[in-house]
């Protein structure tokens, strides 16, 4: 590394994976270098040759789609791969191919013909709502694929990038993202896109550092520049300093500890994984998780036509419990509503879905049948699986809701006993993610075994700043003093009632914040599996007294900048 | 020949179910059209046309097939429309 360093430049975006990586910028350009609005004179075009070019491009597009479908199914998942089936059908759609044929008959070059044939359908779908508008994106992807193949844009082969590449692009399609090899690509950043875009979802599945929604400033980065993609902070740093580089690589190449860890002075901290699919279980075990701190059960319910039955659920929960025979698995009951549509549930269209009928609100209301089935399955799994089962209720805002949920658990237990079915009582807990729950933490903790702080939603609700809104992204920061104070009082309230207190938001997986969280008194930290080794390593170096003093200073602070200063200047 | 079928996949005829429907229609030697039970029909071999029908779960659709494989095509398409679709793949 050179010693004479250039000043670094930081551009903010939205981090989508809790990972950072440094590498050399590679521009991935989808734009087509011809003016498609101004076709050349038709007598300059040979229609037969253009038809052959189109047929050839379509054939290559089919091959690409088949290959990418297979690759995506293998590396990301079958559900995600299904998007390519739709793309293939659009590619062969008679309306499109007829449109292209007509345009070719009119003497247009193939790329202009493709552009014209897609224009109408794209506009038509884009003008519609919801799922239909998504079809417009699919059509654009198919069109751009054909245009790229026709214009022979010298496209970077994403599957064969040199090791240590950072991919920069205006946007990445699902197929682009699926081709990225986590072992070779140090990260990617896109000008467009949000946390829920396909690219973001794929990046998390693949474990690639990624920042999206960077905006126009991204375009000012030169190819071959040194770039650090910081998915934790949500920033792209050009010409990072050696200090910034070291910090970015801290999370990587850390020794994996399969044993539980404690601070230097012996305070045990449980380090667990957040898991959203069964496929992630293995990764969690591999990264040395002590257990699962957040088992999201939505995957069982989404992308299917009918809810999973009780036996299927028992099987899934037991599988998770058996993966951690000596650990704990915290299962969150179904948390739908908000941004998560479920086809067979009659989810209302709401003005403010995040402030609407979601989580426990649905479980105690329209989805009470599903809730009971899920609880039956959980109580059966508690008796059948190896590990310790804990069950957690999401989106609780009142003590009444918690009491209703606990009563449901009791009645389900009685019904199982009456039927002579084996069951055990799991630990029960509340997810603290609404300001109301944080303010009522004492009363909630008295009634349960544990509290788990979901910092992503808690931050969004405490700061009144939507997670997906780039314009208020600066407010969406768990080190804001108000959020820290909510965490602080939750932990104190939990401990006063002998409830253990965990954290299962992205904050828990940031090694920079581990000391602060230990100082705040958290017993358990749960995170994406990839950050477990770094957090475990950090824990072992912490002196509890130092951590508590840091936490005191941080919770006394009244500005995020002061909190950050305390964190940056903490005792080594 | 024709048939009226109630759509079971909860996504209706969108992305994945639609792709499967169109793929199936293309697999038979028959001209197939599809549309709402009481409305205009579109080409079942066109993903664009089928998707833009906006058919939701529980809707009745009319499938009309002409050609050598008409009956087999109707059987297969009825199968697609009346099977909850997700479990087949994952």
């Amino acid at each position: 590394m050179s010693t004479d360093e250039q000043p670094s430049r930081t551009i903010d975006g939205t981090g989508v994976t809790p990972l950072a990586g440094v590498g050399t910028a590679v521009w991935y350009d989808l734009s087509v270098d011809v003016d498609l609005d101004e076709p050349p004179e038709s007598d300059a075009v040979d229609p037969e040759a253009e038809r052959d070019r189109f047929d050839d491009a379509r054939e290559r597009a089919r091959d690409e789609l088949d290959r990418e479908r297979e690759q995506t199914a293998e590396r990301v998942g079958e559900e995600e791969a299904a998007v390519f089936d739709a793309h293939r059908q659009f590619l062969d759609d008679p309306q499109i191919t007829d449109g292209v044929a007509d345009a070719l008959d009119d003497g247009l070059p193939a790329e202009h013909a493709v552009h014209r044939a897609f224009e109408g359908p794209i506009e038509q779908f884009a003008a519609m709502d919801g799922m239909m508008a998504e079809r417009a994106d699919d059509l654009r992807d198919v069109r751009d694929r054909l245009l790229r193949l026709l214009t022979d844009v010298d496209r970077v082969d994403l599957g064969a990038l040199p090791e240590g590449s950072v991919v920069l692009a205006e946007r990445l399609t699902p197929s682009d993202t699926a081709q990225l090899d986590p072992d070779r690509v140090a990260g990617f950043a896109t000008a467009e896109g949000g946390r829920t875009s396909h690219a973001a979802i794929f990046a998390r599945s693949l474990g690639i550092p990624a920042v999206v929604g960077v905006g126009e400033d991204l375009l000012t980065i030169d190819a071959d520049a040194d770039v650090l993609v910081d998915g934790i902070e949500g920033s792209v740093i050009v010409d990072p300093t050696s200090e910034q580089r070291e910090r970015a690589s801290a999370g990587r190449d850390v020794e994996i500890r399969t044993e539980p860890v404690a601070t230097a002075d012996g305070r045990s901290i449980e380090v667990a994984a957040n898991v959203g699919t069964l496929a992630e279980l293995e990764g969690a075990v591999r990264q040395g998780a002590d257990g699962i701190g957040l088992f999201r059960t939505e995957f069982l319910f989404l992308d299917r036509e009918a809810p999973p039955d009780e036996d299927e659920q028992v099987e899934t929960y037991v599988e998770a419990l058996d993966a951690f025979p000596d650990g704990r698995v915290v299962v969150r009951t179904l948390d739908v509503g908000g941004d998560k549509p479920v086809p067979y549930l009659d989810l209302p269209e709401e003005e403010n879905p995040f402030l609407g009928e979601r989580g426990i609100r649905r479980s105690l209301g329209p989805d009470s049948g599903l809730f009971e089935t899920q609880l039956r399955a959980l109580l059966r799994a508690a008796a059948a699986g190896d590990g310790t089962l804990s069950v957690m209720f999401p989106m609780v805002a009142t003590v009444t809701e918690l009491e209703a949920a606990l009563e449901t658990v009791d009645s389900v237990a009685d019904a199982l006993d009456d039927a002579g079915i084996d069951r055990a009582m799991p630990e029960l807990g509340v997810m603290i993610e609404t300001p109301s729950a944080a303010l009522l933490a004492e009363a909630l903790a008295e009634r349960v075994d544990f509290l788990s702080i979901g910092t992503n939603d808690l931050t969004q609700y405490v700061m009144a700043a939507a997670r997906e809104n780039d314009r208020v992204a600066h407010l969406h920061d768990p080190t804001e003093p108000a959020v820290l104070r909510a965490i602080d009082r939750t932990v104190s309230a939990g401990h006063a009632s002998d409830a253990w207190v965990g954290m299962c938001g992205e904050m828990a997986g940031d090694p920079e914040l581990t000391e602060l969280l230990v100082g705040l008194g958290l017993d358990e930290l749960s995170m994406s599996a990839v950050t477990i080794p770094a957090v475990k390593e950090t824990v072992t170096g912490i002196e509890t007294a130092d951590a508590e003093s840091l936490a005191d200073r941080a919770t006394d602070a009244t500005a995020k900048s002061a909190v950050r200063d305390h964190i940056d200047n903490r005792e080594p | 020949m024709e048939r009226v079928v109630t759509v079971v996949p909860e996504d209706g005829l969108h992305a994945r179910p639609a792709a499967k429907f169109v793929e199936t229609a293309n697999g038979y030697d028959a001209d197939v059209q599809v549309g709402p039970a009481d409305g205009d029909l579109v080409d079942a071999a066109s993903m664009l046309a089928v998707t833009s029908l906006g058919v939701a779960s529980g809707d009745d659709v009319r499938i009309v097939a002409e050609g050598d494989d008409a009956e087999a095509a109707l059987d297969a398409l009825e199968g697609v429309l009346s099977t909850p679709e997700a479990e087949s793949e994952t």
Side-chain angles (χ1 to χ4, degrees), chain B residues 3-18:
Chain B
R3 211 170 285 181
V4 173
V5 182
T6 304
V7 177
V8 171
E10 294 279 342
D11 266 355
L13 277 182
H14 274 288
R16 186 155 43 154

Side-chain angles (χ1 to χ4, degrees), chain A residues 78 89 93 125 132 303 305, chain B residues 10 14 46-48 89:
Chain A
E78 182 65 32
Q89 293 300 344
D93 194 287
F125 277 108
M132 303 294 244
D303 288 311
E305 318 304 339
Chain B
E10 294 279 342
H14 274 288
S46 163
M47 179 72 175
L48 267 179
E89 306 258 354

Side-chain angles (χ1 to χ4, degrees), chain A residues 69 78-79 82 85-86 89-90 93-96 121 124-125 128 131-132 135 139 303-305 343-344, chain B residues 9-11 14-16 19 22-23 26 43 45-49 51-52 54 84-87 89-90:
Chain A
R69 191 205 191 286
E78 182 65 32
E79 274 166 33
D85 295 338
Q89 293 300 344
F90 280 127
D93 194 287
Q95 212 173 312
I96 298 284
Q124 187 194 336
F125 277 108
M128 295 190 255
M131 288 173 121
M132 303 294 244
R135 297 293 82 75
L139 283 172
D303 288 311
R304 55 189 294 157
E305 318 304 339
Y344 49 86
Chain B
E10 294 279 342
D11 266 355
H14 274 288
R16 186 155 43 154
V22 173
E23 191 190 339
N26 277 316
D43 183 359
S46 163
M47 179 72 175
L48 267 179
T51 320
S52 60
E85 187 260 353
E87 290 129 89
E89 306 258 354
T90 39

Side-chain angles (χ1 to χ4, degrees), chain A residues 89 92-95, chain B residues 13 17-28 30-35 40-51 53 61-66 73-74 77 80-81:
Chain A
Q89 293 300 344
D92 288 331
D93 194 287
Q95 212 173 312
Chain B
L13 277 182
K20 200 166 192 180
F21 185 84
V22 173
E23 191 190 339
T24 307
N26 277 316
Y28 288 89
D31 278 334
V32 186
Q33 294 197 297
V34 63
D40 293 338
L41 301 179
V42 300
D43 183 359
S46 163
M47 179 72 175
L48 267 179
V50 170
T51 320
L53 285 173
V61 296
R62 189 157 64 102
I63 318 171
V64 179
E66 304 292 340
L74 286 180
L77 291 170
V80 172
L81 291 184

Side-chain angles (χ1 to χ4, degrees), chain A residues 462-476:
Chain A
V462 165
M463 301 307 295
R467 283 160 73 173
E468 312 298 334
N469 187 340
D470 292 346
R471 292 167 179 274
V472 293
H474 60 288
L475 290 171
H476 200 275

Side-chain angles (χ1 to χ4, degrees), chain A residues 113-193:
Chain A
V114 166
H115 186 67
R116 195 171 92 181
F118 276 86
E119 209 168 17
I122 288 175
E123 277 175 22
Q124 187 194 336
F125 277 108
M128 295 190 255
D129 296 334
M131 288 173 121
M132 303 294 244
E134 285 172 26
R135 297 293 82 75
D137 285 338
D138 289 330
L139 283 172
R140 285 192 194 101
D141 279 358
V142 177
R143 176 195 64 189
D144 291 349
R145 183 185 296 275
L146 283 168
L147 289 177
R148 169 174 53 74
L149 290 166
L150 279 167
T151 50
D152 285 323
V153 171
D154 195 11
R155 190 179 74 144
V156 172
D157 181 355
L158 289 174
L161 291 168
E163 204 164 314
S165 302
V166 167
V167 177
L168 304 179
E170 257 184 80
R171 65 192 175 94
L172 290 175
T173 64
S175 39
D176 297 333
T177 318
Q179 286 179 64
L180 298 173
D181 178 349
D183 291 336
R184 308 176 75 91
V185 174
F188 74 78
T190 59
E192 297 171 16

